[in-house]
Amino acid sequence: MSQEPPKLTIGERQTRFDLDVVASYIKPQAKVLDVGCGDGLLLEKLAGEKQVDGRGVELSQRGVNECVARGLSVIQGDADTDLVFYPDRGFDYVILSQTLQATKNPKAVLEHLLRIGDKVIVSIPNFGYWPNRLALAFKGQMPVNRHLPYSWYDTPNIHFCTIRDFVKLCDEVGAKVESAAALDGSGQKIGLSMPWWFWNFFGQQAVFMLRR
């Protein structure tokens, strides 16, 4: 099983603007699987606001314990190895929030998500965000900031990608983008009419709702 990611600080949790966007895509009383659910903050939100039938999979024992303490149905598991055991179309929605870049085989993980859920919601940090580009261009170093708080040698993120990279991956696996939103560093949505290159430069993170 993969190494557990470092525990997020309170400040890092407060930057999870993507969770509101994810929640907005989900219909009430849906059957939901949250893969890499962390401490269960999103599942708890969905249970309270949308009355979903929620299940979770989390790599870290610490995260599982926090979820159970919240009264959530969560098991310990690894997205890279354990999704194969879930049946086709077993859930209305499968969520992977800020986790794809920490998996060993993102393409295989995404293909399993599309098999398991009628719809798949994925949020990713955008390595093409302009402060990251500046850190590489002018400092010659991997960026370390409040959005990417880890040094290159201890980061849980092993497959960084940009928004454009993810859109290309969706094309490769035959996923249709039903809805998408790019968020800037303050959590504000970037205009839907803007082209992909604009999202790729100014979006700190993005959320996609996909279907096969």
Side-chain angles (χ1 to χ4, degrees):
M1 187 171 288
S2 306
Q3 182 181 1
E4 291 187 7
K7 186 176 182 179
L8 292 178
T9 66
I10 293 175
E12 291 160 14
R13 289 177 183 175
Q14 290 174 342
T15 65
R16 292 298 308 274
F17 303 116
D18 61 309
L19 298 187
D20 287 335
V21 180
V22 171
S24 73
Y25 288 156
I26 295 177
K27 293 182 179 180
Q29 301 180 336
K31 190 175 183 181
V32 175
L33 176 66
D34 188 358
V35 180
C37 59
D39 60 6
L41 183 62
L42 177 59
L43 279 174
E44 186 177 56
K45 177 182 179 69
L46 292 174
E49 297 179 2
K50 299 291 183 78
Q51 294 77 51
V52 304
D53 177 7
R55 301 288 185 271
V57 180
E58 169 56 27
L59 176 62
S60 73
Q61 185 61 57
R62 179 183 59 245
V64 173
N65 292 343
E66 292 179 356
C67 289
V68 172
R70 293 176 185 267
L72 302 171
S73 178
V74 173
I75 62 171
Q76 188 170 23
D78 189 332
D80 279 302
T81 59
D82 295 337
L83 293 179
V84 66
F85 300 112
Y86 284 82
D88 295 359
R89 297 290 184 259
F91 293 85
D92 299 315
Y93 299 89
V94 180
I95 301 168
L96 192 75
S97 60
Q98 302 289 328
T99 301
L100 187 66
Q101 75 282 353
T103 62
K104 292 180 179 178
N105 193 334
K107 182 177 180 181
V109 168
L110 184 58
E111 288 174 331
H112 275 300
L113 299 181
L114 290 164
R115 175 184 61 79
I116 296 168
D118 291 331
K119 296 185 179 180
V120 174
I121 302 174
V122 179
S123 67
I124 57 168
N126 175 30
F127 198 68
Y129 184 40
W130 67 267
N132 301 335
R133 300 187 190 206
L134 289 180
L136 286 169
F138 293 104
K139 293 183 180 180
Q141 296 177 324
M142 295 294 287
V144 177
N145 51 51
R146 69 187 181 93
H147 303 296
L148 297 171
Y150 307 109
S151 297
W152 65 270
Y153 53 81
D154 67 357
T155 178
N157 301 317
I158 58 178
H159 287 293
F160 279 116
C161 71
T162 68
I163 292 174
R164 290 180 70 114
D165 285 328
F166 184 76
V167 172
K168 182 179 179 181
L169 176 60
C170 290
D171 290 339
E172 289 182 9
V173 300
K176 177 179 175 58
V177 178
E178 284 203 346
S179 299
L183 308 178
D184 63 21
S186 63
Q188 299 300 309
K189 287 186 179 181
I190 297 173
L192 290 174
S193 61
M194 296 299 178
W196 284 121
W197 71 261
F198 192 92
W199 280 27
N200 207 41
F201 192 82
F202 292 105
Q204 182 273 321
Q205 56 186 314
V207 184
F208 293 84
M209 183 163 69
L210 314 171
R211 64 175 175 83
R212 175 69 68 178

